[in-house]
Amino acid sequence: MTKRNTTKAVCPGSFDPITKGHLDIIERAAELFPSVVVGVLENPSKKPLFTLEERVRLINNAIAHLDNVEVTCFSGLLVDFVNKVNGNLIVKGLRAISDFEIEFQMALNNKRLSPEIETMFMMTKNEYSFLSSSMVKEIARYGGDIHDLVTPEVEQALKQKFSVSDK
Ligand code: PNS
């Protein structure tokens, strides 16, 4: 087995939109590894609220203080994307036991597809363990307070989305 002395970590997700829970994982990965790629899944079947361009812009804004993190879009298999960017590690956040089963399935399938890529999990910060993009969108849609869950730019973008669409 080859030992690699560099790690390029990929933090994948839909990021529709990025939350402070995502950002916490990206910041911690950026502390641990020399290079981090945020992989934004283009998945038309999921009908995201934000376009790919909007999601990428909001992530770029949120990670502006991190000089070893870049943002790239992908479609298709995550392991193909990780190989394409010369990555060797997938980093994901775990919020609760309920996340574990699906994450375990994905990690094992990814391992089967590309055994040289490892998956690592970080426990989310306690204050974000209840947080998801879906919850944020639901609260924002009905005018609830989300200021401590997302960046000011995401909060603003959500307000704009819901002020021009049906509630
Ligand atoms: O933020 P999400 O929607 O929970 O992220 C899920 C994501 C993007 C990590 C996952 O859907 C994914 O890896 N999709 C790419 C397709 C793929 O590789 N599927 C096989 C994994 S078993």
Side-chain angles (χ1 to χ4, degrees):
M1 199 174 109
T2 352
K3 286 200 174 165
R4 300 193 219 187
N5 57 9
T6 55
T7 302
K8 190 171 201 179
V10 172
C11 294
S14 304
F15 302 104
D16 185 39
I18 186 167
T19 68
K20 285 196 177 173
H22 293 126
L23 189 55
D24 170 51
I25 298 296
I26 295 166
E27 285 172 341
R28 286 157 63 192
E31 276 290 315
L32 287 170
F33 306 112
S35 175
V36 175
V37 178
V38 178
V40 187
L41 179 67
E42 182 186 10
N43 186 354
S45 66
K46 264 199 169 180
K47 289 215 172 175
L49 175 67
F50 290 98
T51 65
L52 195 58
E53 292 70 28
E54 288 169 332
R55 284 180 278 151
V56 168
R57 182 178 55 77
L58 292 169
I59 298 168
N60 270 321
N61 176 279
I63 61 154
H65 60 297
L66 303 169
D67 60 9
N68 59 338
V69 181
E70 60 186 279
V71 185
T72 308
C73 308
F74 76 102
S75 54
L77 289 177
L78 174 58
V79 289
D80 290 341
F81 172 67
V82 176
N83 282 318
K84 194 173 142 200
V85 297
N86 291 317
N88 44 10
L89 179 68
I90 297 166
V91 174
K92 300 185 96 179
L94 273 186
R95 285 165 300 193
I97 299 169
S98 52
D99 276 348
F100 182 78
E101 189 160 351
I102 180 68
E103 292 297 345
F104 189 51
Q105 272 181 33
M106 284 199 271
L108 292 187
N109 277 295
N110 285 333
K111 193 76 184 159
R112 182 187 148 268
L113 290 166
S114 203
E116 67 286 359
I117 298 173
E118 290 295 342
T119 300
M120 286 181 65
F121 294 99
M122 288 184 193
M123 310 313 290
T124 55
K125 269 190 185 165
N126 204 20
E127 62 257 47
Y128 303 137
S129 58
F130 56 89
L131 176 56
S132 68
S133 298
S134 312
M135 281 290 164
V136 163
K137 283 183 280 192
E138 176 103 347
I139 297 168
R141 179 184 295 274
Y142 298 108
D145 180 13
I146 52 163
H147 84 275
D148 50 344
L149 306 180
V150 294
T151 62
E153 291 71 24
V154 171
E155 186 179 10
Q156 190 55 36
L158 281 163
K159 273 190 186 143
Q160 269 175 11
K161 281 275 174 202
F162 292 125
S163 70
V164 292
S165 69
D166 285 337
K167 290 204 171 180

PDB file of all heavy atoms in Angstrom, residues 45-72:
ATOM      1  N   SER A  45     -32.813  16.280 -10.307  1.00  0.00           N
ATOM      2  CA  SER A  45     -33.970  15.528  -9.813  1.00  0.00           C
ATOM      3  C   SER A  45     -34.392  15.993  -8.420  1.00  0.00           C
ATOM      4  O   SER A  45     -35.512  15.748  -7.982  1.00  0.00           O
ATOM      5  CB  SER A  45     -33.675  14.035  -9.805  1.00  0.00           C
ATOM      6  OG  SER A  45     -32.664  13.759  -8.880  1.00  0.00           O
ATOM      7  N   LYS A  46     -33.481  16.677  -7.696  1.00  0.00           N
ATOM      8  CA  LYS A  46     -33.818  17.131  -6.336  1.00  0.00           C
ATOM      9  C   LYS A  46     -34.561  18.465  -6.316  1.00  0.00           C
ATOM     10  O   LYS A  46     -35.023  18.885  -5.270  1.00  0.00           O
ATOM     11  CB  LYS A  46     -32.535  17.262  -5.508  1.00  0.00           C
ATOM     12  CG  LYS A  46     -32.239  16.036  -4.646  1.00  0.00           C
ATOM     13  CD  LYS A  46     -31.265  16.388  -3.537  1.00  0.00           C
ATOM     14  CE  LYS A  46     -31.162  15.281  -2.503  1.00  0.00           C
ATOM     15  NZ  LYS A  46     -30.229  15.618  -1.427  1.00  0.00           N
ATOM     16  N   LYS A  47     -34.656  19.142  -7.460  1.00  0.00           N
ATOM     17  CA  LYS A  47     -35.318  20.444  -7.553  1.00  0.00           C
ATOM     18  C   LYS A  47     -34.877  21.403  -6.450  1.00  0.00           C
ATOM     19  O   LYS A  47     -35.658  21.746  -5.553  1.00  0.00           O
ATOM     20  CB  LYS A  47     -36.840  20.266  -7.506  1.00  0.00           C
ATOM     21  CG  LYS A  47     -37.409  19.640  -8.754  1.00  0.00           C
ATOM     22  CD  LYS A  47     -38.778  20.223  -9.054  1.00  0.00           C
ATOM     23  CE  LYS A  47     -39.262  19.753 -10.409  1.00  0.00           C
ATOM     24  NZ  LYS A  47     -40.584  20.146 -10.745  1.00  0.00           N
ATOM     25  N   PRO A  48     -33.645  21.844  -6.486  1.00  0.00           N
ATOM     26  CA  PRO A  48     -33.162  22.729  -5.421  1.00  0.00           C
ATOM     27  C   PRO A  48     -33.828  24.103  -5.465  1.00  0.00           C
ATOM     28  O   PRO A  48     -34.301  24.538  -6.525  1.00  0.00           O
ATOM     29  CB  PRO A  48     -31.668  22.848  -5.719  1.00  0.00           C
ATOM     30  CG  PRO A  48     -31.522  22.504  -7.150  1.00  0.00           C
ATOM     31  CD  PRO A  48     -32.634  21.565  -7.498  1.00  0.00           C
ATOM     32  N   LEU A  49     -33.855  24.761  -4.314  1.00  0.00           N
ATOM     33  CA  LEU A  49     -34.402  26.131  -4.249  1.00  0.00           C
ATOM     34  C   LEU A  49     -33.442  27.094  -4.940  1.00  0.00           C
ATOM     35  O   LEU A  49     -33.865  27.984  -5.677  1.00  0.00           O
ATOM     36  CB  LEU A  49     -34.593  26.536  -2.771  1.00  0.00           C
ATOM     37  CG  LEU A  49     -35.048  27.964  -2.521  1.00  0.00           C
ATOM     38  CD1 LEU A  49     -36.478  28.173  -3.046  1.00  0.00           C
ATOM     39  CD2 LEU A  49     -34.987  28.297  -1.031  1.00  0.00           C
ATOM     40  N   PHE A  50     -32.140  26.898  -4.697  1.00  0.00           N
ATOM     41  CA  PHE A  50     -31.126  27.779  -5.281  1.00  0.00           C
ATOM     42  C   PHE A  50     -30.499  27.107  -6.504  1.00  0.00           C
ATOM     43  O   PHE A  50     -30.252  25.893  -6.493  1.00  0.00           O
ATOM     44  CB  PHE A  50     -30.026  28.089  -4.254  1.00  0.00           C
ATOM     45  CG  PHE A  50     -30.499  28.986  -3.146  1.00  0.00           C
ATOM     46  CD1 PHE A  50     -30.890  28.456  -1.930  1.00  0.00           C
ATOM     47  CD2 PHE A  50     -30.558  30.362  -3.311  1.00  0.00           C
ATOM     48  CE1 PHE A  50     -31.339  29.280  -0.905  1.00  0.00           C
ATOM     49  CE2 PHE A  50     -31.003  31.201  -2.300  1.00  0.00           C
ATOM     50  CZ  PHE A  50     -31.395  30.650  -1.082  1.00  0.00           C
ATOM     51  N   THR A  51     -30.219  27.912  -7.524  1.00  0.00           N
ATOM     52  CA  THR A  51     -29.530  27.371  -8.695  1.00  0.00           C
ATOM     53  C   THR A  51     -28.109  26.978  -8.275  1.00  0.00           C
ATOM     54  O   THR A  51     -27.608  27.411  -7.222  1.00  0.00           O
ATOM     55  CB  THR A  51     -29.418  28.420  -9.814  1.00  0.00           C
ATOM     56  OG1 THR A  51     -28.584  29.487  -9.349  1.00  0.00           O
ATOM     57  CG2 THR A  51     -30.780  28.958 -10.222  1.00  0.00           C
ATOM     58  N   LEU A  52     -27.468  26.217  -9.139  1.00  0.00           N
ATOM     59  CA  LEU A  52     -26.086  25.806  -8.868  1.00  0.00           C
ATOM     60  C   LEU A  52     -25.198  27.042  -8.672  1.00  0.00           C
ATOM     61  O   LEU A  52     -24.394  27.115  -7.743  1.00  0.00           O
ATOM     62  CB  LEU A  52     -25.596  24.966 -10.052  1.00  0.00           C
ATOM     63  CG  LEU A  52     -24.337  24.142  -9.848  1.00  0.00           C
ATOM     64  CD1 LEU A  52     -24.486  23.172  -8.688  1.00  0.00           C
ATOM     65  CD2 LEU A  52     -23.990  23.392 -11.119  1.00  0.00           C
ATOM     66  N   GLU A  53     -25.384  28.019  -9.544  1.00  0.00           N
ATOM     67  CA  GLU A  53     -24.567  29.250  -9.480  1.00  0.00           C
ATOM     68  C   GLU A  53     -24.801  29.973  -8.160  1.00  0.00           C
ATOM     69  O   GLU A  53     -23.874  30.475  -7.535  1.00  0.00           O
ATOM     70  CB  GLU A  53     -24.897  30.195 -10.650  1.00  0.00           C
ATOM     71  CG  GLU A  53     -24.472  29.681 -12.024  1.00  0.00           C
ATOM     72  CD  GLU A  53     -25.294  28.487 -12.520  1.00  0.00           C
ATOM     73  OE1 GLU A  53     -26.481  28.350 -12.129  1.00  0.00           O
ATOM     74  OE2 GLU A  53     -24.759  27.660 -13.287  1.00  0.00           O
ATOM     75  N   GLU A  54     -26.055  30.030  -7.727  1.00  0.00           N
ATOM     76  CA  GLU A  54     -26.373  30.712  -6.459  1.00  0.00           C
ATOM     77  C   GLU A  54     -25.751  29.970  -5.281  1.00  0.00           C
ATOM     78  O   GLU A  54     -25.187  30.582  -4.361  1.00  0.00           O
ATOM     79  CB  GLU A  54     -27.896  30.798  -6.271  1.00  0.00           C
ATOM     80  CG  GLU A  54     -28.569  31.788  -7.212  1.00  0.00           C
ATOM     81  CD  GLU A  54     -30.100  31.672  -7.207  1.00  0.00           C
ATOM     82  OE1 GLU A  54     -30.654  30.570  -6.940  1.00  0.00           O
ATOM     83  OE2 GLU A  54     -30.739  32.681  -7.495  1.00  0.00           O
ATOM     84  N   ARG A  55     -25.839  28.656  -5.319  1.00  0.00           N
ATOM     85  CA  ARG A  55     -25.276  27.864  -4.208  1.00  0.00           C
ATOM     86  C   ARG A  55     -23.765  28.052  -4.133  1.00  0.00           C
ATOM     87  O   ARG A  55     -23.201  28.238  -3.051  1.00  0.00           O
ATOM     88  CB  ARG A  55     -25.634  26.378  -4.386  1.00  0.00           C
ATOM     89  CG  ARG A  55     -27.085  26.089  -4.014  1.00  0.00           C
ATOM     90  CD  ARG A  55     -27.436  24.637  -4.185  1.00  0.00           C
ATOM     91  NE  ARG A  55     -27.753  24.286  -5.561  1.00  0.00           N
ATOM     92  CZ  ARG A  55     -27.569  23.086  -6.103  1.00  0.00           C
ATOM     93  NH1 ARG A  55     -27.057  22.114  -5.390  1.00  0.00           N
ATOM     94  NH2 ARG A  55     -27.897  22.855  -7.347  1.00  0.00           N
ATOM     95  N   VAL A  56     -23.108  28.034  -5.312  1.00  0.00           N
ATOM     96  CA  VAL A  56     -21.652  28.208  -5.351  1.00  0.00           C
ATOM     97  C   VAL A  56     -21.272  29.611  -4.853  1.00  0.00           C
ATOM     98  O   VAL A  56     -20.344  29.772  -4.063  1.00  0.00           O
ATOM     99  CB  VAL A  56     -21.108  27.961  -6.781  1.00  0.00           C
ATOM    100  CG1 VAL A  56     -19.674  28.417  -6.917  1.00  0.00           C
ATOM    101  CG2 VAL A  56     -21.237  26.486  -7.137  1.00  0.00           C
ATOM    102  N   ARG A  57     -22.043  30.607  -5.255  1.00  0.00           N
ATOM    103  CA  ARG A  57     -21.742  31.987  -4.831  1.00  0.00           C
ATOM    104  C   ARG A  57     -21.871  32.118  -3.302  1.00  0.00           C
ATOM    105  O   ARG A  57     -21.009  32.693  -2.643  1.00  0.00           O
ATOM    106  CB  ARG A  57     -22.711  32.961  -5.531  1.00  0.00           C
ATOM    107  CG  ARG A  57     -22.460  34.420  -5.203  1.00  0.00           C
ATOM    108  CD  ARG A  57     -23.402  35.359  -5.948  1.00  0.00           C
ATOM    109  NE  ARG A  57     -24.827  35.075  -5.746  1.00  0.00           N
ATOM    110  CZ  ARG A  57     -25.519  35.398  -4.655  1.00  0.00           C
ATOM    111  NH1 ARG A  57     -24.922  36.026  -3.674  1.00  0.00           N
ATOM    112  NH2 ARG A  57     -26.802  35.101  -4.555  1.00  0.00           N
ATOM    113  N   LEU A  58     -22.912  31.531  -2.753  1.00  0.00           N
ATOM    114  CA  LEU A  58     -23.121  31.626  -1.300  1.00  0.00           C
ATOM    115  C   LEU A  58     -22.030  30.872  -0.531  1.00  0.00           C
ATOM    116  O   LEU A  58     -21.593  31.307   0.538  1.00  0.00           O
ATOM    117  CB  LEU A  58     -24.521  31.104  -0.925  1.00  0.00           C
ATOM    118  CG  LEU A  58     -25.684  31.983  -1.421  1.00  0.00           C
ATOM    119  CD1 LEU A  58     -27.026  31.275  -1.253  1.00  0.00           C
ATOM    120  CD2 LEU A  58     -25.700  33.330  -0.686  1.00  0.00           C
ATOM    121  N   ILE A  59     -21.577  29.752  -1.089  1.00  0.00           N
ATOM    122  CA  ILE A  59     -20.490  29.007  -0.423  1.00  0.00           C
ATOM    123  C   ILE A  59     -19.201  29.817  -0.513  1.00  0.00           C
ATOM    124  O   ILE A  59     -18.487  29.979   0.489  1.00  0.00           O
ATOM    125  CB  ILE A  59     -20.289  27.605  -1.059  1.00  0.00           C
ATOM    126  CG1 ILE A  59     -21.540  26.754  -0.900  1.00  0.00           C
ATOM    127  CG2 ILE A  59     -19.099  26.899  -0.394  1.00  0.00           C
ATOM    128  CD1 ILE A  59     -21.537  25.476  -1.740  1.00  0.00           C
ATOM    129  N   ASN A  60     -18.905  30.338  -1.703  1.00  0.00           N
ATOM    130  CA  ASN A  60     -17.673  31.132  -1.861  1.00  0.00           C
ATOM    131  C   ASN A  60     -17.647  32.296  -0.890  1.00  0.00           C
ATOM    132  O   ASN A  60     -16.614  32.602  -0.299  1.00  0.00           O
ATOM    133  CB  ASN A  60     -17.536  31.626  -3.300  1.00  0.00           C
ATOM    134  CG  ASN A  60     -16.765  30.636  -4.147  1.00  0.00           C
ATOM    135  OD1 ASN A  60     -15.781  30.036  -3.698  1.00  0.00           O
ATOM    136  ND2 ASN A  60     -17.193  30.444  -5.376  1.00  0.00           N
ATOM    137  N   ASN A  61     -18.788  32.910  -0.710  1.00  0.00           N
ATOM    138  CA  ASN A  61     -18.883  34.020   0.239  1.00  0.00           C
ATOM    139  C   ASN A  61     -18.609  33.528   1.677  1.00  0.00           C
ATOM    140  O   ASN A  61     -17.888  34.183   2.437  1.00  0.00           O
ATOM    141  CB  ASN A  61     -20.293  34.630   0.110  1.00  0.00           C
ATOM    142  CG  ASN A  61     -20.517  35.711   1.120  1.00  0.00           C
ATOM    143  OD1 ASN A  61     -20.831  35.427   2.261  1.00  0.00           O
ATOM    144  ND2 ASN A  61     -20.331  36.958   0.709  1.00  0.00           N
ATOM    145  N   ALA A  62     -19.160  32.369   2.024  1.00  0.00           N
ATOM    146  CA  ALA A  62     -19.020  31.849   3.395  1.00  0.00           C
ATOM    147  C   ALA A  62     -17.599  31.377   3.712  1.00  0.00           C
ATOM    148  O   ALA A  62     -17.186  31.382   4.875  1.00  0.00           O
ATOM    149  CB  ALA A  62     -20.015  30.700   3.605  1.00  0.00           C
ATOM    150  N   ILE A  63     -16.852  30.958   2.669  1.00  0.00           N
ATOM    151  CA  ILE A  63     -15.511  30.408   2.917  1.00  0.00           C
ATOM    152  C   ILE A  63     -14.398  31.393   2.552  1.00  0.00           C
ATOM    153  O   ILE A  63     -13.229  31.004   2.479  1.00  0.00           O
ATOM    154  CB  ILE A  63     -15.287  29.087   2.140  1.00  0.00           C
ATOM    155  CG1 ILE A  63     -15.413  29.322   0.629  1.00  0.00           C
ATOM    156  CG2 ILE A  63     -16.222  27.992   2.615  1.00  0.00           C
ATOM    157  CD1 ILE A  63     -14.649  28.326  -0.207  1.00  0.00           C
ATOM    158  N   ALA A  64     -14.763  32.652   2.345  1.00  0.00           N
ATOM    159  CA  ALA A  64     -13.777  33.642   1.876  1.00  0.00           C
ATOM    160  C   ALA A  64     -12.574  33.754   2.818  1.00  0.00           C
ATOM    161  O   ALA A  64     -11.477  34.116   2.388  1.00  0.00           O
ATOM    162  CB  ALA A  64     -14.457  34.997   1.702  1.00  0.00           C
ATOM    163  N   HIS A  65     -12.763  33.427   4.105  1.00  0.00           N
ATOM    164  CA  HIS A  65     -11.669  33.537   5.083  1.00  0.00           C
ATOM    165  C   HIS A  65     -10.755  32.305   5.093  1.00  0.00           C
ATOM    166  O   HIS A  65      -9.776  32.268   5.828  1.00  0.00           O
ATOM    167  CB  HIS A  65     -12.252  33.758   6.481  1.00  0.00           C
ATOM    168  CG  HIS A  65     -13.158  32.635   6.937  1.00  0.00           C
ATOM    169  ND1 HIS A  65     -14.340  32.314   6.287  1.00  0.00           N
ATOM    170  CD2 HIS A  65     -13.045  31.749   7.952  1.00  0.00           C
ATOM    171  CE1 HIS A  65     -14.917  31.288   6.902  1.00  0.00           C
ATOM    172  NE2 HIS A  65     -14.137  30.921   7.912  1.00  0.00           N
ATOM    173  N   LEU A  66     -11.067  31.295   4.272  1.00  0.00           N
ATOM    174  CA  LEU A  66     -10.285  30.044   4.294  1.00  0.00           C
ATOM    175  C   LEU A  66      -9.448  29.956   3.021  1.00  0.00           C
ATOM    176  O   LEU A  66     -10.002  29.789   1.926  1.00  0.00           O
ATOM    177  CB  LEU A  66     -11.230  28.840   4.387  1.00  0.00           C
ATOM    178  CG  LEU A  66     -12.178  28.826   5.594  1.00  0.00           C
ATOM    179  CD1 LEU A  66     -13.229  27.736   5.439  1.00  0.00           C
ATOM    180  CD2 LEU A  66     -11.389  28.627   6.895  1.00  0.00           C
ATOM    181  N   ASP A  67      -8.124  30.064   3.149  1.00  0.00           N
ATOM    182  CA  ASP A  67      -7.315  30.141   1.926  1.00  0.00           C
ATOM    183  C   ASP A  67      -6.945  28.786   1.331  1.00  0.00           C
ATOM    184  O   ASP A  67      -6.370  28.730   0.242  1.00  0.00           O
ATOM    185  CB  ASP A  67      -6.065  31.011   2.150  1.00  0.00           C
ATOM    186  CG  ASP A  67      -5.167  30.458   3.238  1.00  0.00           C
ATOM    187  OD1 ASP A  67      -5.425  29.323   3.694  1.00  0.00           O
ATOM    188  OD2 ASP A  67      -4.216  31.157   3.631  1.00  0.00           O
ATOM    189  N   ASN A  68      -7.283  27.686   1.995  1.00  0.00           N
ATOM    190  CA  ASN A  68      -6.982  26.372   1.418  1.00  0.00           C
ATOM    191  C   ASN A  68      -8.243  25.614   0.993  1.00  0.00           C
ATOM    192  O   ASN A  68      -8.247  24.391   0.881  1.00  0.00           O
ATOM    193  CB  ASN A  68      -6.162  25.513   2.406  1.00  0.00           C
ATOM    194  CG  ASN A  68      -6.885  25.292   3.726  1.00  0.00           C
ATOM    195  OD1 ASN A  68      -7.780  26.059   4.083  1.00  0.00           O
ATOM    196  ND2 ASN A  68      -6.510  24.259   4.447  1.00  0.00           N
ATOM    197  N   VAL A  69      -9.329  26.368   0.785  1.00  0.00           N
ATOM    198  CA  VAL A  69     -10.598  25.738   0.394  1.00  0.00           C
ATOM    199  C   VAL A  69     -11.062  26.299  -0.950  1.00  0.00           C
ATOM    200  O   VAL A  69     -11.010  27.511  -1.169  1.00  0.00           O
ATOM    201  CB  VAL A  69     -11.699  25.993   1.458  1.00  0.00           C
ATOM    202  CG1 VAL A  69     -13.001  25.312   1.062  1.00  0.00           C
ATOM    203  CG2 VAL A  69     -11.248  25.502   2.831  1.00  0.00           C
ATOM    204  N   GLU A  70     -11.483  25.401  -1.847  1.00  0.00           N
ATOM    205  CA  GLU A  70     -12.058  25.843  -3.123  1.00  0.00           C
ATOM    206  C   GLU A  70     -13.405  25.155  -3.342  1.00  0.00           C
ATOM    207  O   GLU A  70     -13.685  24.120  -2.705  1.00  0.00           O
ATOM    208  CB  GLU A  70     -11.112  25.551  -4.289  1.00  0.00           C
ATOM    209  CG  GLU A  70     -10.800  24.081  -4.430  1.00  0.00           C
ATOM    210  CD  GLU A  70      -9.748  23.797  -5.495  1.00  0.00           C
ATOM    211  OE1 GLU A  70     -10.116  23.767  -6.666  1.00  0.00           O
ATOM    212  OE2 GLU A  70      -8.588  23.577  -5.125  1.00  0.00           O
ATOM    213  N   VAL A  71     -14.198  25.703  -4.215  1.00  0.00           N
ATOM    214  CA  VAL A  71     -15.541  25.169  -4.473  1.00  0.00           C
ATOM    215  C   VAL A  71     -15.632  24.715  -5.920  1.00  0.00           C
ATOM    216  O   VAL A  71     -15.231  25.445  -6.825  1.00  0.00           O
ATOM    217  CB  VAL A  71     -16.620  26.252  -4.219  1.00  0.00           C
ATOM    218  CG1 VAL A  71     -18.013  25.662  -4.374  1.00  0.00           C
ATOM    219  CG2 VAL A  71     -16.459  26.860  -2.843  1.00  0.00           C
ATOM    220  N   THR A  72     -16.138  23.497  -6.132  1.00  0.00           N
ATOM    221  CA  THR A  72     -16.304  22.958  -7.483  1.00  0.00           C
ATOM    222  C   THR A  72     -17.619  22.192  -7.552  1.00  0.00           C
ATOM    223  O   THR A  72     -18.010  21.547  -6.575  1.00  0.00           O
ATOM    224  CB  THR A  72     -15.144  21.982  -7.821  1.00  0.00           C
ATOM    225  OG1 THR A  72     -13.913  22.628  -7.563  1.00  0.00           O
ATOM    226  CG2 THR A  72     -15.168  21.560  -9.268  1.00  0.00           C
TER     227      THR A  72
END
